[in-house]
Amino acid sequence: MRIELDWIHPQHRGSLRLSLGVLILLLGGLLLLARLGEASSRVAGFLTWHMLLEVMAIVVATLIFAVGWNTYALHRQRNILVASCAFLGVAVLDFSHMLSFPGMPDFVTPSDVQKGINFWLPARYLAAFALLALVWRPWQDSATETPTAQPSRRRFLPLLALLALLLPIHWLVLWRPELLPTTYVAGLGLTPLKRLAEGGVILLHLLAFALLLARLRQPSRFDVPLLLASLLTMIIGELPFALYTMPTDSYNLGGHVYKVLAYLLLYRAIFVETVAAPYRALEQARQHSQAILDAIPDRLFEMDIHGRHLAVHTPRNEQVRMPGEQLLGRTVHEALPAEAAAVCMAALQETLETGHSNGRQLLLRLDDGNEHRFELSVAPLRQAGQSAPHFIVLSRDVTARTREQESLRKLRQAVEQSPHTIVITDLQARIEYANQAFTTVTGYTLAEASGLTPRLLHSGKTPPGTYAAMWRQLRTGKPWRGEFLNRRKDGSEYHEAVLISPVFDNEGRATHYLAIMEDITQRKLDQQRIEHLAHFDALTGLPNRTLFRSRFEQALGMAERQHSGVALMFMDIDHFKNINDSLGHRVGDALLVQIAQRLQGALRDEDTLSRQGGDEFMLSLTCSDAASAAHLAERLRALLGSPFQIDDLSLSVSASIGIALYPDDGQDFDRLAQHADAAMYRAKQEGRDRHRFFTAELQAQSARMLSLENALRQALHNDELHLHYQPQLSIDGRRLVGAEALLRWNHPQMGAISPAEFIPVAESSGLILPIGAWVLRTAAAQMQAWLQQGMPADTTMAVNLSLAQFNDAGLCDLVATVLKETGLPAACLELELTESVAMHKPAEVIEVVRRLRELGVRLAIDDFGTGYSSLSYLKQFEAHKLKIDQSFVRNLSQDSDDQSIVQAILGLAHSLDMLAIAEGVETREQQSELQLLGCDEAQGYLFSRPLPAEAFEAWVRAWQARHAETASPV
């Protein structure tokens, strides 16, 4: 048969099944006892058995008291304390009962059955009431109680009450037994009062049993089935004491057996609750604490005041500096670096002084090789009987948190300090956050804008379709980019570029909108300005080359359709550089503006005037032929010839104009512009202040120049360039003072090309720099070779420098490098710069000359007298030599003006302590005239043409032979 236990709480079901099994055994024992009672009326050796069972009962009752009394400090169950004290009384009464049983020595008075029963019944009622109180009073949760070392003195009250109960009972039984009713009659057995008294005990046990049954429906803090088994045992054990007729029969003995069993079950229940339960609770608390420790991802230490590790808890799989078992017994000074140990000790000291320490951090390098940052939290550990202070130290690895905090700090600072406006809104576009740039741009603070929508910035000038497109895009979960024209708090308007993106949570739901906005008002203005600058000249406001080209190509298209002509003029203001250099760029710019205005006023609306840069202008003349173009060119020249008034200056300028005609001179802009440019240069070559048309001759010349430039780019690589050397002698022709290196070019197809033709090409194309470096290096190496062959040590090698070379920042370094590589003495190198080069930015030239002089090289001013020089600058150059241009030497014997000029140059040179050398000396008359005027040196065809190195060496040997008697040996 299956017993239904559904109404019983699961906590009690396992133990209840065991209790039911015990009950069945007890009932079986009762039936066995009934049979034995019928078979025998007296039990042999009853007194011994009785005393043995009573002693066992007394011992168990005393144990119940001892356990309950001594565990009260750990487990304050008052009902157990009362029951335990009551069972001490039961033990005393049972002991008095045992001593009063027939056959025992006199216990104050003679022992008999009545005396034993008088001690027996108070013991049973005391036990019954104690169990009823045990069940009736609520039990406290042992897990929530706090053990104390000093239990309350109130626990002695039950003992005093027990003493107050036992003394009267013993006084009555031992000294006034006549006051007690009769419970046993010899020969007749128990009296009805005795049986009724036993029934009363059974009723009290049944009442306690009923109370316990009710507690089976709910969880309890004690073992209810075990107490039920104890009560049932007592109830069953009381039945024989109401049935026996002889005090020594089997019923009496069986009842004592049941009493011992009941006491044992009760002891078990009391022991489990008062001893085992606290330890079980302690174990549960330990497991709970261990679970908490295992769940804590931090290191936990117990330390003393000296920083010694008394206990260590390290999380699993945690990188450590030292295993926990090795830390035990070690101090922080032994386990940690000095700096980290100092932080730990400071935290312990702070805890000792203030009761806690939080936030101190230290750095440690762990097994992974990386430095980790740990944060300490320290609290005092207070334990009973502990004299020296102990501490609980929690060490948390905050490396990741610190990095995250640093990242968040940087992010917060970046957002706050961002020059762009950053706004976060909810899905209804209500502003929740705005950075400082928002206030700077709009004038609204976050407090003013919070909770409002960006509509407060609307100017009404952003098209509604822009907002509609924005919301359509955002509702799809995609970012939107666009521009608004908004209004600030002060009413001013501004353009704003906006990027708005949805912000999603971990589930992918949009929660906010993030807007990054940039004030692009200035950018808009700059774009407009850039667009203007891209097509118009910033100074004059005229169309630039790009716009001019576009308009000219439109004019070409129209002319092609109408079969008409177009004229392209290229105009350059003559000697405009002199105005900038002498009067300054401010005057030059003002002059260009007036020139542009004057030219523009002379043109038709369909014509276009453009400034190409510097002092160059281009004009497009639609429906124009050669005659009308020439007429306009002369008119423009006349306009420019009228004085311009700049401040208090009156300036007059002229212009050189080149003209190319469509379709005769070209079919596109580039070809026509190139031809007009060539015609303009022809006008300059013919004396400036005139116009010239493009011709076939100019076209051939342009083709020649282009061919030369392309060939010259390969000349160095193909070893087509070489040097010729022209000797420089004293004016009397008796002493060789040096040689001038002159560049020559022999092309495989074009043959020998004149320097006068290819040098300008090299300068205009930028090839003069690598070619000039090659000339300098080759000439220096050749001079060094001649010096080693015996040429006089004071002989110099003269090398010409162009304007491009002199303006090159690496000139001085190049000269120094060449001297070092070749070994040529610096005094044997003479660098020639033309007068025009010397006077170009003279202050800068003087600085370069100073650096060259510091290297020790000699300097000469070439073509002196052909330009214009400042005597003060010439003095600062501290040149070694002035070179008289051959134009003054050519007619020296016939032209008195040339004689005067040469004489003046010689006087100037000698007054500045310079030598003078005349170039282009071709006749004896020129030599004699120069010698009479006091010239120092000369070079020219009279002595020798420029020669290759081998021929130059042969000439030197022949010259030495002719002048062996008077010249110094070479």
Side-chain angles (χ1 to χ4, degrees):
M1 181 178 70
R2 185 172 179 272
I3 300 175
E4 295 293 338
L5 301 176
D6 294 342
W7 62 277
I8 299 174
H9 191 274
Q11 174 189 346
H12 308 303
R13 291 177 185 175
S15 181
L16 184 62
R17 290 188 178 94
L18 178 62
S19 299
L20 290 176
V22 172
L23 175 61
I24 293 173
L25 291 177
L26 292 176
L27 291 175
L30 185 62
L31 293 176
L32 178 62
L33 185 61
R35 286 181 173 246
L36 290 175
E38 294 176 358
S40 175
S41 58
R42 185 185 295 272
V43 176
F46 182 87
L47 182 61
T48 302
W49 285 108
H50 177 267
M51 186 171 62
L52 177 62
L53 292 175
E54 285 294 349
V55 168
M56 292 176 62
I58 292 168
V59 170
V60 174
T62 305
L63 287 175
I64 292 173
F65 164 73
V67 170
W69 177 265
N70 288 296
T71 60
Y72 181 70
L74 298 174
H75 185 43
R76 290 197 170 192
Q77 296 286 4
R78 292 186 179 86
N79 48 0
I80 290 183
L81 177 64
V82 172
S84 300
C85 291
F87 267 86
L88 177 62
V90 171
V92 172
L93 292 173
D94 280 346
F95 182 73
S96 298
H97 162 75
M98 179 187 69
L99 295 179
S100 301
F101 199 79
M104 295 294 291
D106 290 347
F107 175 49
V108 181
T109 60
S111 300
D112 57 25
V113 177
Q114 175 70 34
K115 181 180 177 183
I117 292 176
N118 288 340
F119 283 113
W120 172 268
L121 287 177
R124 304 287 76 72
Y125 272 95
L126 182 57
F129 279 112
L131 291 175
L132 184 60
L134 182 68
V135 175
W136 188 279
R137 288 178 58 85
W139 288 49
Q140 297 180 5
D141 188 358
S142 60
T144 62
E145 293 184 49
T146 303
T148 59
Q150 299 295 331
S152 174
R153 296 180 179 179
R154 293 182 180 179
R155 67 173 178 166
F156 288 95
L157 294 178
L159 286 180
L160 294 177
L162 178 64
L163 182 61
L165 177 64
L166 293 179
L167 289 177
I169 292 175
H170 280 78
W171 179 76
L172 286 173
V173 174
L174 295 177
W175 285 282
R176 299 299 299 273
E178 67 276 7
L179 298 178
L180 299 176
T182 301
T183 56
Y184 180 82
V185 178
L188 296 178
L190 301 176
T191 65
L193 179 62
K194 169 65 166 62
R195 290 189 172 88
L196 183 62
E198 294 291 349
V201 173
I202 293 174
L203 287 176
L204 290 175
H205 287 322
L206 287 174
L207 178 59
F209 186 83
L211 292 174
L212 282 176
L213 282 177
R215 292 197 177 187
L216 288 175
R217 297 180 179 272
Q218 56 191 6
S220 179
R221 299 184 182 93
F222 57 93
D223 194 342
V224 174
L226 194 62
L227 282 178
L228 284 173
S230 175
L231 286 171
L232 284 174
T233 305
M234 288 187 180
I235 292 171
I236 295 173
E238 288 297 328
L239 292 176
F241 291 116
L243 297 176
Y244 71 87
T245 56
M246 295 181 63
T248 57
D249 61 11
S250 57
Y251 282 114
N252 198 337
L253 186 62
H256 280 81
V257 172
Y258 275 86
K259 183 180 76 169
V260 173
L261 290 177
Y263 281 15
L264 288 173
L265 290 174
L266 179 61
Y267 171 75
R268 172 65 180 167
I270 295 296
F271 178 81
V272 168
E273 181 55 31
T274 59
V275 177
Y279 282 104
R280 185 173 61 248
L282 184 62
E283 177 62 20
Q284 292 174 352
R286 189 196 66 79
Q287 294 176 357
H288 182 264
S289 299
Q290 187 62 44
I292 293 176
L293 287 177
D294 293 340
I296 294 176
D298 307 317
R299 299 161 178 79
L300 199 65
F301 307 96
E302 180 182 347
M303 295 183 181
D304 61 15
I305 189 61
H306 304 294
R308 190 177 307 280
H309 294 83
L310 305 178
V312 178
H313 169 75
T314 303
R316 297 188 184 94
N317 303 323
E318 184 73 13
Q319 294 188 17
V320 293
R321 182 179 177 86
M322 185 181 294
E325 59 272 13
Q326 296 183 19
L327 283 175
L328 291 175
R330 294 175 179 261
T331 66
V332 293
H333 298 287
E334 298 171 328
L336 300 177
E339 185 174 350
V343 173
C344 287
M345 294 306 297
L348 296 180
Q349 186 62 34
E350 181 182 3
T351 305
L352 186 64
E353 295 172 357
T354 64
H356 69 280
S357 176
N358 292 312
R360 291 183 182 267
Q361 295 186 355
L362 53 87
L363 289 174
L364 287 179
R365 189 175 298 278
L366 300 185
D367 296 341
D368 59 1
N370 298 322
E371 276 196 341
H372 289 246
R373 183 176 295 274
F374 292 89
E375 185 176 82
L376 303 181
S377 296
V378 186
L381 177 61
R382 299 179 178 88
Q383 293 179 336
Q386 177 181 291
S387 58
H390 286 188
F391 304 93
I392 295 296
V393 180
L394 186 144
S395 174
R396 172 164 296 176
D397 190 338
V398 295
T399 307
R401 187 189 76 187
T402 303
R403 290 176 184 153
E404 291 174 0
Q405 289 176 344
E406 181 65 17
S407 298
L408 289 175
R409 183 187 65 80
K410 292 178 181 177
L411 178 61
R412 181 173 63 253
Q413 291 178 341
V415 170
E416 276 299 317
Q417 299 174 18
S418 171
H420 300 305
T421 298
I422 298 177
V423 175
I424 299 176
T425 72
D426 61 15
L427 295 181
Q428 286 71 45
R430 291 187 293 263
I431 296 174
E432 294 184 358
Y433 169 80
N435 67 348
Q436 182 59 38
F438 174 83
T439 301
T440 303
V441 172
T442 68
Y444 292 98
T445 65
L446 177 59
E448 293 172 329
S450 183
L452 302 178
T453 68
R455 291 189 184 91
L456 83 161
L457 303 176
H458 287 187
S459 65
K461 296 183 179 180
T462 301
T466 301
Y467 296 113
M470 176 192 73
W471 283 113
R472 281 196 304 270
Q473 181 84 349
L474 292 177
R475 289 190 180 104
T476 64
K478 298 179 181 178
W480 178 85
R481 187 187 299 273
E483 293 183 5
F484 296 140
L485 178 56
N486 285 337
R487 180 180 289 114
R488 297 184 177 89
K489 185 178 180 180
D490 61 8
S492 60
E493 294 179 350
Y494 65 102
H495 290 271
E496 195 165 49
V498 182
L499 173 62
I500 305 177
S501 305
V503 179
F504 301 96
D505 60 14
N506 293 334
E507 284 72 34
R509 295 189 300 266
T511 60
H512 293 81
Y513 291 120
L514 171 66
I516 302 176
M517 297 171 279
E518 181 182 3
D519 185 350
I520 59 171
T521 306
Q522 188 60 45
R523 185 192 302 174
K524 287 282 187 181
L525 296 175
D526 292 342
Q527 286 177 349
Q528 296 173 3
R529 177 174 174 78
I530 290 171
E531 290 176 2
H532 181 81
L533 292 176
H535 298 93
F536 293 89
D537 176 53
L539 177 63
T540 63
L542 296 176
N544 61 10
R545 185 178 183 88
T546 303
L547 181 57
F548 180 79
R549 181 191 186 101
S550 176
R551 290 184 180 181
F552 187 80
E553 289 175 347
Q554 292 176 8
L556 288 179
M558 184 179 297
E560 183 179 5
R561 291 189 299 271
Q562 297 177 355
H563 303 287
S564 60
V566 179
L568 178 63
M569 290 187 181
F570 200 116
M571 177 187 294
D572 184 87
I573 307 300
D574 297 330
H575 300 299
F576 186 79
K577 179 178 180 298
N578 295 340
I579 296 175
N580 275 336
D581 290 345
S582 59
L583 301 178
H585 287 276
R586 186 188 66 82
V587 174
D589 290 346
L591 177 59
L592 288 173
V593 171
Q594 291 192 23
I595 291 174
Q597 294 172 350
R598 192 172 292 185
L599 294 176
Q600 185 69 46
L603 301 179
R604 301 170 298 177
D605 292 340
E606 59 268 26
D607 298 332
T608 301
L609 172 65
S610 168
R611 180 178 177 232
Q612 300 295 295
D615 57 354
E616 295 178 344
F617 294 87
M618 293 185 77
L619 296 88
S620 170
L621 307 176
T622 60
C623 302
S624 179
D625 55 16
S628 60
H631 175 73
L632 179 61
E634 289 303 313
R635 183 182 173 196
L636 295 178
R637 285 181 54 244
L639 287 173
L640 294 180
S642 300
F644 292 88
Q645 195 66 33
I646 309 294
D647 297 333
D648 56 350
L649 300 174
S650 180
L651 304 175
S652 296
V653 296
S654 64
S656 300
I657 302 174
I659 305 173
L661 299 176
Y662 168 84
D664 299 336
D665 298 330
Q667 302 291 320
D668 55 41
F669 172 77
D670 291 330
R671 181 62 59 87
L672 290 168
Q674 180 182 1
H675 290 171
D677 187 26
M680 184 270 293
Y681 273 103
R682 172 57 64 89
K684 282 186 173 294
Q685 291 172 359
E686 294 181 2
R688 295 182 171 86
D689 192 20
R690 65 197 66 209
H691 73 272
R692 286 291 178 264
F693 284 92
F694 179 76
T695 63
E697 178 188 356
L698 287 177
Q699 187 170 4
Q701 182 180 354
S702 297
R704 170 73 173 177
M705 298 295 288
L706 181 61
S707 177
L708 287 177
E709 181 179 339
N710 291 331
L712 190 58
R713 293 185 183 278
Q714 304 298 323
L716 267 179
H717 182 266
N718 295 334
D719 294 329
E720 298 171 8
L721 300 178
H722 57 278
L723 294 182
H724 282 193
Y725 303 92
Q726 188 174 35
Q728 295 176 334
L729 295 95
S730 61
I731 193 62
D732 56 8
R734 296 180 178 277
R735 184 170 61 88
L736 180 66
V737 296
E740 181 179 7
L742 299 171
L743 182 62
R744 296 294 183 263
W745 180 19
N746 285 322
H747 190 270
Q749 286 78 37
M750 292 183 286
I753 303 171
S754 170
E757 188 177 13
F758 73 79
I759 291 297
V761 174
E763 290 179 338
S764 63
S765 63
L767 294 172
I768 193 64
L769 292 179
I771 291 176
W774 177 84
V775 169
L776 180 63
R777 186 172 280 106
T778 304
Q782 183 62 67
M783 189 69 231
Q784 176 63 14
W786 285 338
L787 291 176
Q788 291 175 349
Q789 293 172 11
M791 192 172 286
D794 58 349
T795 309
T796 61
M797 176 65 73
V799 178
N800 289 282
L801 293 179
S802 69
L803 177 62
Q805 287 177 280
F806 209 78
N807 287 337
D808 183 28
L811 173 63
C812 296
D813 293 335
L814 173 64
V815 172
T817 301
V818 168
L819 293 175
K820 182 178 181 181
E821 290 177 352
T822 61
L824 179 67
C828 293
L829 178 62
E830 183 175 277
L831 300 178
E832 294 185 359
L833 57 153
T834 64
E835 186 179 16
S836 60
V837 171
M839 291 299 108
H840 177 75
K841 298 181 180 179
E844 297 179 10
V845 171
I846 290 173
E847 176 59 25
V848 176
V849 168
R850 183 190 62 79
R851 294 177 60 190
L852 291 173
R853 283 203 314 270
E854 289 177 354
L855 294 175
V857 301
R858 302 170 64 86
L859 296 172
I861 306 298
D862 195 11
D863 298 336
F864 191 80
T866 59
Y868 62 95
S869 297
S870 168
L871 296 182
S872 63
Y873 285 134
L874 186 62
K875 179 180 179 181
Q876 294 181 58
F877 288 153
E878 296 183 13
H880 297 84
K881 188 181 294 184
L882 287 182
K883 198 167 190 179
I884 303 172
D885 188 72
Q886 63 181 344
S887 62
F888 303 121
V889 176
R890 186 177 299 115
N891 299 315
L892 183 63
S893 301
Q894 297 82 24
D895 192 333
S896 60
D897 291 337
D898 288 344
Q899 292 179 3
S900 298
I901 293 173
V902 171
Q903 189 173 9
I905 294 174
L906 292 173
L908 176 63
H910 293 157
S911 67
L912 294 177
D913 198 22
M914 298 182 189
L915 296 176
I917 182 172
E919 62 179 354
V921 178
E922 298 178 352
T923 65
R924 292 293 179 185
E925 291 78 7
Q926 294 172 347
Q927 180 187 17
S928 298
E929 188 70 29
L930 288 170
Q931 188 171 7
L932 290 174
L933 292 175
C935 187
D936 301 296
E937 300 170 356
Q939 73 178 87
Y941 285 2
L942 174 63
F943 307 108
S944 172
R945 290 177 177 273
L947 302 170
E950 296 80 359
F952 182 85
E953 293 173 5
W955 179 89
V956 170
R957 286 192 295 271
W959 176 83
Q960 288 175 337
R962 288 195 306 269
H963 299 279
E965 298 82 5
T966 59
S968 301
V970 178

